[in-house]
Amino acid sequence: MTISENKIDDTTEIIISGRLDTTTAPQLETKLKECTSGCTTLVLNLAEVSYISSAGLRVVLLAHKVMSAAGGKMRIKKPSEFCMQVFAATGMDGVLTIAS
């Protein structure tokens, strides 16, 4: 998995590619903890995520909760077809703000 970051004012976009699973989820969690302070809008670009496991879902949901608790917003940008299937199967598509 690779992670890159774009910051514009108080918006941070995290671009993730590869597999978001048990092995890589801690890396994303660390990155999200670093970038959520001082950020009012977090965008997770999941266009290039080929696989997301329950560990990956946990990190995405944790980021959503952290941003909501801080009065910020989080949105999922361009989720891959696999991610959308997982979000729909788990009901997370009703919890998360998803923009295609």
Side-chain angles (χ1 to χ4, degrees):
M1 177 181 75
T2 59
I3 302 172
S4 59
E5 175 183 346
N6 290 328
K7 279 191 173 195
I8 300 173
D9 299 323
D10 60 351
T11 299
T12 301
E13 179 179 14
I14 303 295
I15 302 117
I16 305 160
S17 62
R19 294 174 58 90
L20 183 48
D21 56 23
T22 305
T23 306
T24 58
Q27 179 185 355
L28 178 60
E29 186 172 356
T30 300
K31 180 66 173 176
L32 290 172
K33 285 178 182 175
E34 291 170 3
C35 73
T36 51
S37 63
C39 166
T40 59
T41 304
L42 176 65
V43 178
L44 294 182
N45 185 325
L46 304 180
E48 298 298 321
V49 173
S50 58
Y51 176 81
I52 186 167
S53 72
S54 59
L57 287 173
R58 182 190 66 76
V59 173
V60 170
L61 191 56
L62 176 65
H64 173 74
K65 287 181 179 181
V66 166
M67 291 304 295
S68 293
K73 335 177 239 192
M74 185 188 92
R75 37 176 225 271
I76 305 295
K77 180 180 177 183
K78 299 180 182 177
S80 66
E81 186 177 333
F82 186 84
C83 286
M84 275 308 299
Q85 290 172 353
V86 172
F87 291 156
T90 59
M92 286 183 65
D93 58 344
V95 175
L96 301 171
T97 302
I98 301 173
S100 34

